[in-house]
Each structure stands twice: as C-alpha cells, then as structure tokens.
mmCIF file of all heavy atoms in Angstrom:
data_model
loop_
_atom_site.group_PDB
_atom_site.id
_atom_site.type_symbol
_atom_site.label_atom_id
_atom_site.label_comp_id
_atom_site.label_asym_id
_atom_site.label_seq_id
_atom_site.Cartn_x
_atom_site.Cartn_y
_atom_site.Cartn_z
ATOM 1 N N MET P 1 -12.988 -14.972 7.506
ATOM 2 C CA MET P 1 -12.595 -14.939 8.949
ATOM 3 C C MET P 1 -13.772 -14.387 9.644
ATOM 4 O O MET P 1 -14.404 -13.462 9.292
ATOM 5 C CB MET P 1 -11.365 -13.891 9.055
ATOM 6 C CG MET P 1 -10.968 -13.517 10.382
ATOM 7 S SD MET P 1 -9.682 -12.301 10.460
ATOM 8 C CE MET P 1 -8.396 -13.394 11.077
ATOM 9 N N LYS P 2 -14.005 -14.935 10.839
ATOM 10 C CA LYS P 2 -15.096 -14.525 11.549
ATOM 11 C C LYS P 2 -14.715 -13.651 12.737
ATOM 12 O O LYS P 2 -13.707 -13.962 13.340
ATOM 13 C CB LYS P 2 -15.886 -15.749 12.151
ATOM 14 C CG LYS P 2 -16.475 -16.588 11.068
ATOM 15 C CD LYS P 2 -17.449 -17.652 11.716
ATOM 16 C CE LYS P 2 -18.171 -18.459 10.583
ATOM 17 N NZ LYS P 2 -18.967 -19.471 11.177
ATOM 18 N N TYR P 3 -15.395 -12.588 13.058
ATOM 19 C CA TYR P 3 -15.110 -11.708 14.055
ATOM 20 C C TYR P 3 -16.026 -11.947 15.255
ATOM 21 O O TYR P 3 -17.262 -12.088 15.001
ATOM 22 C CB TYR P 3 -15.171 -10.159 13.558
ATOM 23 C CG TYR P 3 -14.094 -10.064 12.539
ATOM 24 C CD1 TYR P 3 -14.378 -9.969 11.084
ATOM 25 C CD2 TYR P 3 -12.707 -9.586 13.087
ATOM 26 C CE1 TYR P 3 -13.271 -9.583 10.366
ATOM 27 C CE2 TYR P 3 -11.829 -9.433 12.106
ATOM 28 C CZ TYR P 3 -12.130 -9.343 10.690
ATOM 29 O OH TYR P 3 -11.015 -9.004 9.841
ATOM 30 N N PRO P 4 -15.692 -11.745 16.403
ATOM 31 C CA PRO P 4 -16.507 -11.924 17.543
ATOM 32 C C PRO P 4 -17.504 -10.654 17.657
ATOM 33 O O PRO P 4 -17.024 -9.590 17.105
ATOM 34 C CB PRO P 4 -15.606 -11.943 18.733
ATOM 35 C CG PRO P 4 -14.365 -11.366 18.371
ATOM 36 C CD PRO P 4 -14.230 -11.637 16.839
ATOM 37 N N LEU P 5 -18.566 -10.801 18.167
ATOM 38 C CA LEU P 5 -19.561 -9.692 18.121
ATOM 39 C C LEU P 5 -19.142 -8.673 19.260
ATOM 40 O O LEU P 5 -19.726 -7.549 19.302
ATOM 41 C CB LEU P 5 -20.919 -10.273 18.504
ATOM 42 C CG LEU P 5 -21.453 -11.238 17.530
ATOM 43 C CD1 LEU P 5 -22.884 -11.722 17.902
ATOM 44 C CD2 LEU P 5 -21.646 -10.532 16.135
ATOM 45 N N HIS P 6 -18.273 -8.897 20.026
ATOM 46 C CA HIS P 6 -17.987 -8.030 21.226
ATOM 47 C C HIS P 6 -16.653 -7.244 20.979
ATOM 48 O O HIS P 6 -15.992 -6.713 21.742
ATOM 49 C CB HIS P 6 -17.858 -8.771 22.541
ATOM 50 C CG HIS P 6 -16.817 -9.913 22.494
ATOM 51 N ND1 HIS P 6 -15.428 -9.758 22.525
ATOM 52 C CD2 HIS P 6 -16.946 -11.248 22.218
ATOM 53 C CE1 HIS P 6 -14.768 -10.829 22.467
ATOM 54 N NE2 HIS P 6 -15.712 -11.759 22.307
ATOM 55 N N THR P 7 -16.417 -6.862 19.584
ATOM 56 C CA THR P 7 -15.270 -6.175 19.319
ATOM 57 C C THR P 7 -15.468 -4.634 19.712
ATOM 58 O O THR P 7 -16.568 -4.231 19.623
ATOM 59 C CB THR P 7 -14.872 -6.159 17.864
ATOM 60 O OG1 THR P 7 -15.926 -5.818 17.077
ATOM 61 C CG2 THR P 7 -14.489 -7.623 17.490
ATOM 62 N N VAL P 8 -14.384 -3.956 20.078
ATOM 63 C CA VAL P 8 -14.604 -2.550 20.450
ATOM 64 C C VAL P 8 -13.549 -1.698 19.583
ATOM 65 O O VAL P 8 -12.503 -2.048 19.419
ATOM 66 C CB VAL P 8 -14.214 -2.320 21.871
ATOM 67 C CG1 VAL P 8 -14.262 -0.875 22.284
ATOM 68 C CG2 VAL P 8 -15.110 -3.252 22.814
ATOM 69 N N SER P 9 -14.118 -0.674 18.822
ATOM 70 C CA SER P 9 -13.306 0.211 18.060
ATOM 71 C C SER P 9 -12.477 1.046 18.870
ATOM 72 O O SER P 9 -12.822 1.546 20.006
ATOM 73 C CB SER P 9 -14.189 1.016 17.181
ATOM 74 O OG SER P 9 -15.064 0.203 16.308
ATOM 75 N N LYS P 10 -11.349 1.442 18.288
ATOM 76 C CA LYS P 10 -10.492 2.289 19.001
ATOM 77 C C LYS P 10 -10.754 3.738 18.681
ATOM 78 O O LYS P 10 -11.252 3.958 17.547
ATOM 79 C CB LYS P 10 -8.989 2.071 18.546
ATOM 80 C CG LYS P 10 -8.408 0.653 19.013
ATOM 81 C CD LYS P 10 -6.971 0.539 18.511
ATOM 82 C CE LYS P 10 -6.531 -0.735 18.966
ATOM 83 N NZ LYS P 10 -5.136 -0.932 18.580
ATOM 84 N N PRO P 11 -10.695 4.589 19.650
ATOM 85 C CA PRO P 11 -11.080 5.944 19.253
ATOM 86 C C PRO P 11 -10.130 6.631 18.293
ATOM 87 O O PRO P 11 -8.946 6.273 18.289
ATOM 88 C CB PRO P 11 -10.857 6.697 20.719
ATOM 89 C CG PRO P 11 -10.036 5.831 21.508
ATOM 90 C CD PRO P 11 -10.164 4.400 21.052
ATOM 91 N N VAL P 12 -10.566 7.511 17.609
ATOM 92 C CA VAL P 12 -9.657 8.284 16.513
ATOM 93 C C VAL P 12 -9.250 9.529 17.167
ATOM 94 O O VAL P 12 -10.132 10.325 17.781
ATOM 95 C CB VAL P 12 -10.536 8.517 15.320
ATOM 96 C CG1 VAL P 12 -9.675 9.207 14.329
ATOM 97 C CG2 VAL P 12 -11.031 7.180 14.699
ATOM 98 N N SER P 13 -8.190 9.961 17.009
ATOM 99 C CA SER P 13 -7.558 11.260 17.606
ATOM 100 C C SER P 13 -6.446 11.760 16.757
ATOM 101 O O SER P 13 -5.868 11.137 15.969
ATOM 102 C CB SER P 13 -7.064 10.995 19.075
ATOM 103 O OG SER P 13 -5.938 10.094 19.110
ATOM 104 N N GLY P 14 -6.138 12.991 17.128
ATOM 105 C CA GLY P 14 -4.934 13.711 16.476
ATOM 106 C C GLY P 14 -5.090 13.900 14.884
ATOM 107 O O GLY P 14 -6.109 14.306 14.536
ATOM 108 N N SER P 15 -4.099 13.577 14.230
ATOM 109 C CA SER P 15 -4.110 13.881 12.784
ATOM 110 C C SER P 15 -5.020 12.975 12.196
ATOM 111 O O SER P 15 -5.490 13.269 10.926
ATOM 112 C CB SER P 15 -2.626 13.710 12.150
ATOM 113 O OG SER P 15 -2.201 12.344 12.404
ATOM 114 N N GLU P 16 -5.320 11.735 12.599
ATOM 115 C CA GLU P 16 -6.414 10.908 12.083
ATOM 116 C C GLU P 16 -7.684 11.517 12.007
ATOM 117 O O GLU P 16 -8.446 11.365 11.009
ATOM 118 C CB GLU P 16 -6.388 9.534 12.834
ATOM 119 C CG GLU P 16 -5.193 8.637 12.616
ATOM 120 C CD GLU P 16 -4.192 8.961 13.660
ATOM 121 O OE1 GLU P 16 -4.321 9.710 14.610
ATOM 122 O OE2 GLU P 16 -2.922 8.461 13.458
ATOM 123 N N VAL P 17 -7.970 12.279 13.042
ATOM 124 C CA VAL P 17 -9.230 12.947 12.995
ATOM 125 C C VAL P 17 -9.386 13.993 11.853
ATOM 126 O O VAL P 17 -10.390 14.135 11.169
ATOM 127 C CB VAL P 17 -9.475 13.737 14.374
ATOM 128 C CG1 VAL P 17 -10.820 14.620 14.283
ATOM 129 C CG2 VAL P 17 -9.591 12.763 15.556
ATOM 130 N N GLU P 18 -8.309 14.678 11.616
ATOM 131 C CA GLU P 18 -8.224 15.665 10.552
ATOM 132 C C GLU P 18 -8.395 15.002 9.264
ATOM 133 O O GLU P 18 -9.106 15.395 8.417
ATOM 134 C CB GLU P 18 -6.910 16.443 10.561
ATOM 135 C CG GLU P 18 -6.878 17.323 11.873
ATOM 136 C CD GLU P 18 -5.522 18.057 11.947
ATOM 137 O OE1 GLU P 18 -4.755 18.141 10.955
ATOM 138 O OE2 GLU P 18 -5.291 18.647 12.957
ATOM 139 N N LYS P 19 -7.683 13.936 9.079
ATOM 140 C CA LYS P 19 -7.821 13.105 7.806
ATOM 141 C C LYS P 19 -9.205 12.652 7.477
ATOM 142 O O LYS P 19 -9.712 12.769 6.436
ATOM 143 C CB LYS P 19 -6.781 11.976 7.814
ATOM 144 C CG LYS P 19 -5.358 12.333 7.654
ATOM 145 C CD LYS P 19 -4.586 11.070 7.656
ATOM 146 C CE LYS P 19 -3.021 11.459 7.820
ATOM 147 N NZ LYS P 19 -2.150 10.182 7.928
ATOM 148 N N LEU P 20 -9.754 11.992 8.561
ATOM 149 C CA LEU P 20 -11.141 11.461 8.477
ATOM 150 C C LEU P 20 -12.160 12.557 8.180
ATOM 151 O O LEU P 20 -13.015 12.315 7.322
ATOM 152 C CB LEU P 20 -11.490 10.786 9.724
ATOM 153 C CG LEU P 20 -12.835 9.932 9.748
ATOM 154 C CD1 LEU P 20 -12.870 9.011 8.664
ATOM 155 C CD2 LEU P 20 -13.012 9.273 11.067
ATOM 156 N N ALA P 21 -12.041 13.662 8.998
ATOM 157 C CA ALA P 21 -12.965 14.824 8.774
ATOM 158 C C ALA P 21 -12.951 15.402 7.360
ATOM 159 O O ALA P 21 -13.906 15.569 6.571
ATOM 160 C CB ALA P 21 -12.655 15.852 9.728
ATOM 161 N N HIS P 22 -11.559 15.488 6.833
ATOM 162 C CA HIS P 22 -11.476 15.974 5.362
ATOM 163 C C HIS P 22 -12.111 15.023 4.442
ATOM 164 O O HIS P 22 -12.745 15.457 3.499
ATOM 165 C CB HIS P 22 -9.911 16.201 5.091
ATOM 166 C CG HIS P 22 -9.706 16.562 3.717
ATOM 167 N ND1 HIS P 22 -10.121 17.863 3.239
ATOM 168 C CD2 HIS P 22 -9.112 15.941 2.658
ATOM 169 C CE1 HIS P 22 -9.642 17.996 2.002
ATOM 170 N NE2 HIS P 22 -9.140 16.799 1.638
ATOM 171 N N ALA P 23 -11.929 13.777 4.653
ATOM 172 C CA ALA P 23 -12.290 12.601 3.679
ATOM 173 C C ALA P 23 -13.855 12.713 3.668
ATOM 174 O O ALA P 23 -14.484 12.577 2.645
ATOM 175 C CB ALA P 23 -11.823 11.189 4.088
ATOM 176 N N ILE P 24 -14.485 12.855 4.803
ATOM 177 C CA ILE P 24 -16.011 12.875 4.945
ATOM 178 C C ILE P 24 -16.550 14.179 4.205
ATOM 179 O O ILE P 24 -17.463 13.973 3.465
ATOM 180 C CB ILE P 24 -16.384 12.887 6.404
ATOM 181 C CG1 ILE P 24 -16.071 11.421 6.986
ATOM 182 C CG2 ILE P 24 -17.938 13.217 6.559
ATOM 183 C CD1 ILE P 24 -16.316 11.442 8.513
ATOM 184 N N GLN P 25 -15.820 15.260 4.451
ATOM 185 C CA GLN P 25 -16.336 16.531 3.877
ATOM 186 C C GLN P 25 -16.145 16.455 2.384
ATOM 187 O O GLN P 25 -17.035 17.092 1.569
ATOM 188 C CB GLN P 25 -15.617 17.713 4.510
ATOM 189 C CG GLN P 25 -16.119 18.023 5.935
ATOM 190 C CD GLN P 25 -15.156 19.016 6.636
ATOM 191 O OE1 GLN P 25 -14.188 19.515 5.980
ATOM 192 N NE2 GLN P 25 -15.548 19.378 7.884
ATOM 193 N N SER P 26 -15.148 15.956 1.812
ATOM 194 C CA SER P 26 -14.895 15.892 0.487
ATOM 195 C C SER P 26 -15.498 14.693 -0.372
ATOM 196 O O SER P 26 -15.408 14.578 -1.564
ATOM 197 C CB SER P 26 -13.308 15.993 0.142
ATOM 198 O OG SER P 26 -12.730 14.872 0.658
ATOM 199 N N GLY P 27 -15.928 13.839 0.362
ATOM 200 C CA GLY P 27 -16.559 12.592 -0.141
ATOM 201 C C GLY P 27 -15.549 11.575 -0.589
ATOM 202 O O GLY P 27 -15.743 10.798 -1.459
ATOM 203 N N GLY P 28 -14.367 11.766 -0.030
ATOM 204 C CA GLY P 28 -13.213 10.856 -0.328
ATOM 205 C C GLY P 28 -13.030 9.622 0.592
ATOM 206 O O GLY P 28 -14.144 9.227 1.166
ATOM 207 N N HIS P 29 -11.863 9.205 0.740
ATOM 208 C CA HIS P 29 -11.614 8.088 1.742
ATOM 209 C C HIS P 29 -10.283 8.218 2.408
ATOM 210 O O HIS P 29 -9.372 8.999 1.969
ATOM 211 C CB HIS P 29 -11.643 6.808 0.851
ATOM 212 C CG HIS P 29 -10.532 6.643 -0.098
ATOM 213 N ND1 HIS P 29 -10.546 7.199 -1.257
ATOM 214 C CD2 HIS P 29 -9.353 5.948 0.017
ATOM 215 C CE1 HIS P 29 -9.442 6.945 -1.869
ATOM 216 N NE2 HIS P 29 -8.717 6.134 -1.251
ATOM 217 N N VAL P 30 -10.008 7.430 3.397
ATOM 218 C CA VAL P 30 -8.799 7.332 4.058
ATOM 219 C C VAL P 30 -8.134 5.987 3.844
ATOM 220 O O VAL P 30 -8.769 4.995 3.956
ATOM 221 C CB VAL P 30 -8.874 7.583 5.571
ATOM 222 C CG1 VAL P 30 -7.590 7.462 6.218
ATOM 223 C CG2 VAL P 30 -9.560 8.948 5.848
ATOM 224 N N ALA P 31 -6.947 5.946 3.359
ATOM 225 C CA ALA P 31 -6.329 4.706 2.964
ATOM 226 C C ALA P 31 -4.910 4.581 3.672
ATOM 227 O O ALA P 31 -4.147 5.494 3.671
ATOM 228 C CB ALA P 31 -6.283 4.448 1.566
ATOM 229 N N ASN P 32 -4.515 3.408 4.027
ATOM 230 C CA ASN P 32 -3.131 3.263 4.404
ATOM 231 C C ASN P 32 -2.237 2.936 3.142
ATOM 232 O O ASN P 32 -2.476 2.117 2.359
ATOM 233 C CB ASN P 32 -3.190 1.993 5.441
ATOM 234 C CG ASN P 32 -1.840 1.543 5.888
ATOM 235 O OD1 ASN P 32 -0.791 1.865 5.312
ATOM 236 N ND2 ASN P 32 -1.865 0.837 6.886
ATOM 237 N N GLU P 33 -1.117 3.629 3.106
ATOM 238 C CA GLU P 33 -0.257 3.717 1.926
ATOM 239 C C GLU P 33 0.355 2.271 1.796
ATOM 240 O O GLU P 33 0.357 1.753 0.583
ATOM 241 C CB GLU P 33 0.877 4.705 1.983
ATOM 242 C CG GLU P 33 0.396 6.108 1.925
ATOM 243 C CD GLU P 33 -0.232 6.280 0.517
ATOM 244 O OE1 GLU P 33 0.290 5.834 -0.591
ATOM 245 O OE2 GLU P 33 -1.239 7.088 0.487
ATOM 246 N N THR P 34 0.587 1.543 2.861
ATOM 247 C CA THR P 34 1.149 0.178 2.721
ATOM 248 C C THR P 34 0.085 -0.743 2.070
ATOM 249 O O THR P 34 0.459 -1.645 1.417
ATOM 250 C CB THR P 34 1.665 -0.249 4.195
ATOM 251 O OG1 THR P 34 2.516 0.695 4.765
ATOM 252 C CG2 THR P 34 2.319 -1.549 3.931
ATOM 253 N N ALA P 35 -1.091 -0.549 2.511
ATOM 254 C CA ALA P 35 -2.115 -1.385 1.989
ATOM 255 C C ALA P 35 -2.443 -1.171 0.564
ATOM 256 O O ALA P 35 -2.578 -2.003 -0.091
ATOM 257 C CB ALA P 35 -3.402 -1.196 2.834
ATOM 258 N N LEU P 36 -2.338 0.042 0.122
ATOM 259 C CA LEU P 36 -2.459 0.493 -1.263
ATOM 260 C C LEU P 36 -1.307 -0.251 -2.101
ATOM 261 O O LEU P 36 -1.714 -0.754 -3.194
ATOM 262 C CB LEU P 36 -2.487 1.927 -1.398
ATOM 263 C CG LEU P 36 -3.662 2.678 -0.958
ATOM 264 C CD1 LEU P 36 -3.454 4.240 -1.049
ATOM 265 C CD2 LEU P 36 -4.992 2.383 -1.670
ATOM 266 N N VAL P 37 -0.145 -0.197 -1.712
ATOM 267 C CA VAL P 37 0.955 -0.790 -2.404
ATOM 268 C C VAL P 37 0.651 -2.279 -2.604
ATOM 269 O O VAL P 37 0.931 -2.834 -3.672
ATOM 270 C CB VAL P 37 2.360 -0.493 -1.700
ATOM 271 C CG1 VAL P 37 3.446 -1.347 -2.172
ATOM 272 C CG2 VAL P 37 2.630 0.988 -1.802
ATOM 273 N N LEU P 38 0.190 -2.905 -1.460
ATOM 274 C CA LEU P 38 0.041 -4.376 -1.400
ATOM 275 C C LEU P 38 -1.120 -4.710 -2.451
ATOM 276 O O LEU P 38 -1.073 -5.626 -3.156
ATOM 277 C CB LEU P 38 -0.350 -4.868 -0.027
ATOM 278 C CG LEU P 38 -0.680 -6.278 -0.022
ATOM 279 C CD1 LEU P 38 0.355 -7.189 -0.429
ATOM 280 C CD2 LEU P 38 -1.209 -6.695 1.404
ATOM 281 N N MET P 39 -2.250 -3.890 -2.497
ATOM 282 C CA MET P 39 -3.415 -4.089 -3.343
ATOM 283 C C MET P 39 -2.835 -3.948 -4.870
ATOM 284 O O MET P 39 -3.326 -4.748 -5.618
ATOM 285 C CB MET P 39 -4.489 -3.107 -3.105
ATOM 286 C CG MET P 39 -5.285 -3.433 -1.805
ATOM 287 S SD MET P 39 -6.678 -2.426 -1.635
ATOM 288 C CE MET P 39 -5.971 -0.910 -0.955
ATOM 289 N N ARG P 40 -2.015 -2.895 -5.128
ATOM 290 C CA ARG P 40 -1.421 -2.806 -6.457
ATOM 291 C C ARG P 40 -0.787 -4.011 -6.924
ATOM 292 O O ARG P 40 -0.866 -4.499 -7.986
ATOM 293 C CB ARG P 40 -0.661 -1.484 -6.494
ATOM 294 C CG ARG P 40 -1.424 -0.318 -6.565
ATOM 295 C CD ARG P 40 -0.613 0.871 -6.629
ATOM 296 N NE ARG P 40 -1.260 2.175 -6.504
ATOM 297 C CZ ARG P 40 -1.075 2.947 -5.400
ATOM 298 N NH1 ARG P 40 -0.146 2.763 -4.656
ATOM 299 N NH2 ARG P 40 -1.821 4.098 -5.360
ATOM 300 N N LYS P 41 0.131 -4.510 -5.962
ATOM 301 C CA LYS P 41 0.963 -5.803 -6.286
ATOM 302 C C LYS P 41 0.042 -6.999 -6.544
ATOM 303 O O LYS P 41 0.220 -7.738 -7.560
ATOM 304 C CB LYS P 41 1.856 -6.005 -5.127
ATOM 305 C CG LYS P 41 3.018 -5.191 -5.043
ATOM 306 C CD LYS P 41 3.953 -5.611 -3.831
ATOM 307 C CE LYS P 41 5.106 -4.689 -3.562
ATOM 308 N NZ LYS P 41 5.888 -5.181 -2.445
ATOM 309 N N ILE P 42 -1.007 -7.130 -5.727
ATOM 310 C CA ILE P 42 -1.930 -8.213 -5.943
ATOM 311 C C ILE P 42 -2.707 -8.086 -7.311
ATOM 312 O O ILE P 42 -2.730 -9.047 -8.054
ATOM 313 C CB ILE P 42 -2.931 -8.366 -4.792
ATOM 314 C CG1 ILE P 42 -2.129 -8.663 -3.622
ATOM 315 C CG2 ILE P 42 -4.112 -9.324 -5.117
ATOM 316 C CD1 ILE P 42 -3.039 -8.710 -2.119
ATOM 317 N N ALA P 43 -3.221 -6.949 -7.613
ATOM 318 C CA ALA P 43 -3.861 -6.689 -8.905
ATOM 319 C C ALA P 43 -2.980 -6.943 -10.072
ATOM 320 O O ALA P 43 -3.386 -7.492 -11.049
ATOM 321 C CB ALA P 43 -4.317 -5.158 -8.843
ATOM 322 N N LEU P 44 -1.594 -6.434 -10.002
ATOM 323 C CA LEU P 44 -0.691 -6.698 -11.124
ATOM 324 C C LEU P 44 -0.503 -8.239 -11.244
ATOM 325 O O LEU P 44 -0.468 -8.742 -12.407
ATOM 326 C CB LEU P 44 0.530 -5.961 -10.760
ATOM 327 C CG LEU P 44 1.577 -6.224 -11.821
ATOM 328 C CD1 LEU P 44 1.170 -5.526 -13.165
ATOM 329 C CD2 LEU P 44 2.973 -5.526 -11.317
ATOM 330 N N ARG P 45 -0.349 -8.879 -10.197
ATOM 331 C CA ARG P 45 -0.081 -10.342 -10.211
ATOM 332 C C ARG P 45 -1.309 -11.116 -10.863
ATOM 333 O O ARG P 45 -1.147 -11.979 -11.745
ATOM 334 C CB ARG P 45 0.205 -10.978 -8.911
ATOM 335 C CG ARG P 45 1.652 -10.961 -8.570
ATOM 336 C CD ARG P 45 1.837 -11.758 -7.268
ATOM 337 N NE ARG P 45 2.297 -10.834 -6.249
ATOM 338 C CZ ARG P 45 1.925 -10.804 -5.012
ATOM 339 N NH1 ARG P 45 1.178 -11.697 -4.530
ATOM 340 N NH2 ARG P 45 2.443 -9.955 -4.144
ATOM 341 N N ARG P 46 -2.546 -10.714 -10.504
ATOM 342 C CA ARG P 46 -3.657 -11.289 -11.026
ATOM 343 C C ARG P 46 -3.925 -10.990 -12.511
ATOM 344 O O ARG P 46 -4.236 -11.754 -13.289
ATOM 345 C CB ARG P 46 -4.968 -10.861 -10.193
ATOM 346 C CG ARG P 46 -4.992 -11.416 -8.876
ATOM 347 C CD ARG P 46 -6.329 -11.072 -8.111
ATOM 348 N NE ARG P 46 -6.361 -11.695 -6.914
ATOM 349 C CZ ARG P 46 -7.420 -11.582 -6.037
ATOM 350 N NH1 ARG P 46 -8.393 -10.904 -6.459
ATOM 351 N NH2 ARG P 46 -7.431 -12.293 -4.905
ATOM 352 N N ARG P 47 -3.476 -9.683 -12.828
ATOM 353 C CA ARG P 47 -3.663 -9.279 -14.225
ATOM 354 C C ARG P 47 -2.686 -10.000 -15.116
ATOM 355 O O ARG P 47 -3.089 -10.629 -16.216
ATOM 356 C CB ARG P 47 -3.330 -7.738 -14.348
ATOM 357 C CG ARG P 47 -3.739 -7.205 -15.722
ATOM 358 C CD ARG P 47 -3.573 -5.689 -15.758
ATOM 359 N NE ARG P 47 -4.350 -5.100 -14.670
ATOM 360 C CZ ARG P 47 -3.747 -4.180 -13.802
ATOM 361 N NH1 ARG P 47 -2.402 -4.030 -13.826
ATOM 362 N NH2 ARG P 47 -4.394 -3.661 -12.736
ATOM 363 N N GLN P 48 -1.437 -10.309 -14.652
ATOM 364 C CA GLN P 48 -0.513 -11.009 -15.428
ATOM 365 C C GLN P 48 -0.865 -12.522 -15.534
ATOM 366 O O GLN P 48 -0.667 -13.039 -16.520
ATOM 367 C CB GLN P 48 0.936 -10.818 -14.727
ATOM 368 C CG GLN P 48 1.515 -9.473 -14.886
ATOM 369 C CD GLN P 48 2.849 -9.410 -14.134
ATOM 370 O OE1 GLN P 48 3.190 -10.088 -13.292
ATOM 371 N NE2 GLN P 48 3.631 -8.287 -14.475
ATOM 372 N N LYS P 49 -1.304 -13.001 -14.498
ATOM 373 C CA LYS P 49 -1.721 -14.415 -14.423
ATOM 374 C C LYS P 49 -2.953 -14.646 -15.339
ATOM 375 O O LYS P 49 -2.975 -15.576 -16.250
ATOM 376 C CB LYS P 49 -2.229 -14.840 -13.069
ATOM 377 C CG LYS P 49 -2.453 -16.326 -12.837
ATOM 378 C CD LYS P 49 -2.811 -16.678 -11.334
ATOM 379 C CE LYS P 49 -2.890 -18.151 -11.135
ATOM 380 N NZ LYS P 49 -3.198 -18.455 -9.778
ATOM 381 N N SER P 50 -3.855 -13.748 -15.414
ATOM 382 C CA SER P 50 -4.939 -13.925 -16.426
ATOM 383 C C SER P 50 -4.606 -13.639 -17.792
ATOM 384 O O SER P 50 -5.129 -14.345 -18.797
ATOM 385 C CB SER P 50 -6.175 -13.024 -16.062
ATOM 386 O OG SER P 50 -5.777 -11.654 -16.325
ATOM 387 N N GLU P 51 -3.609 -12.837 -18.029
ATOM 388 C CA GLU P 51 -3.125 -12.582 -19.408
ATOM 389 C C GLU P 51 -2.308 -13.858 -19.853
ATOM 390 O O GLU P 51 -2.353 -14.168 -21.068
ATOM 391 C CB GLU P 51 -2.120 -11.355 -19.467
ATOM 392 C CG GLU P 51 -2.790 -10.070 -19.431
ATOM 393 C CD GLU P 51 -1.956 -8.882 -19.342
ATOM 394 O OE1 GLU P 51 -0.779 -8.984 -19.145
ATOM 395 O OE2 GLU P 51 -2.515 -7.775 -19.292
ATOM 396 N N ASN P 52 -1.508 -14.490 -19.001
ATOM 397 C CA ASN P 52 -0.774 -15.635 -19.371
ATOM 398 C C ASN P 52 -1.747 -16.864 -19.586
ATOM 399 O O ASN P 52 -1.446 -17.637 -20.425
ATOM 400 C CB ASN P 52 0.202 -16.049 -18.199
ATOM 401 C CG ASN P 52 1.333 -15.073 -18.177
ATOM 402 O OD1 ASN P 52 1.523 -14.279 -19.195
ATOM 403 N ND2 ASN P 52 2.132 -15.041 -17.065
ATOM 404 N N ALA P 53 -2.826 -16.833 -18.930
ATOM 405 C CA ALA P 53 -3.793 -17.940 -19.072
ATOM 406 C C ALA P 53 -4.502 -17.839 -20.334
ATOM 407 O O ALA P 53 -4.890 -18.900 -20.919
ATOM 408 C CB ALA P 53 -4.836 -18.012 -17.971
ATOM 409 N N SER P 54 -4.689 -16.582 -20.836
ATOM 410 C CA SER P 54 -5.474 -16.426 -22.082
ATOM 411 C C SER P 54 -4.721 -16.673 -23.378
ATOM 412 O O SER P 54 -5.123 -16.716 -24.422
ATOM 413 C CB SER P 54 -6.067 -15.079 -22.182
ATOM 414 O OG SER P 54 -5.109 -14.053 -22.156
ATOM 415 N N GLU P 55 -3.226 -16.773 -23.322
ATOM 416 C CA GLU P 55 -2.512 -16.886 -24.350
ATOM 417 C C GLU P 55 -2.453 -18.381 -24.846
ATOM 418 O O GLU P 55 -2.649 -19.300 -24.230
ATOM 419 C CB GLU P 55 -1.033 -16.509 -24.022
ATOM 420 C CG GLU P 55 -0.965 -15.118 -23.962
ATOM 421 C CD GLU P 55 0.366 -14.507 -23.541
ATOM 422 O OE1 GLU P 55 1.313 -15.434 -23.245
ATOM 423 O OE2 GLU P 55 0.664 -13.417 -23.467
#
C-alpha cells in the first residue's frame, strides 16, 4: 500500500502520552491489544499450515 507524502500525524495526548513516555523510558513498546490478538491468530494459522504441509 502506498501512502501519500503529505500525511499528517495526529497529536498524542492524555493517557497515550503517559503510555508512550513509559515505553520510551523503559525501552519497551506501545501496542494495541486488538492488533496483538489478530497477530497471534495469524501466526497460529501460519504455524498450523506449515506443520500440515510438512507432513
């Protein structure tokens, strides 16, 4: 997917600032829980697919 060069980021405020500041200070990351669940499902499907293909 191509993105236009004139995109503008939204400002971060409220609790998001606290989460981001904590992640930066601790060397961690900020992640959306819904996105993490989806990534786990995709990884599980791929793992199962590769195991079935190797049999």
Side-chain angles (χ1 to χ4, degrees):
M1 172 184 251
K2 293 185 179 182
Y3 293 97
L5 298 176
H6 55 80
T7 59
V8 178
S9 297
K10 294 181 181 179
V12 180
S13 62
S15 63
E16 288 85 11
V17 171
E18 293 176 13
K19 289 178 188 176
L20 185 57
H22 178 70
I24 291 170
Q25 291 172 354
S26 67
H29 68 280
V30 178
N32 180 334
E33 289 299 318
T34 306
L36 289 173
V37 170
L38 177 61
M39 286 186 282
R40 287 186 190 111
K41 286 181 182 179
I42 292 171
L44 179 62
R45 273 189 241 137
R46 287 184 179 184
R47 194 173 307 122
Q48 289 173 344
K49 189 175 183 179
S50 68
E51 288 174 357
N52 289 340
S54 64
E55 291 178 352

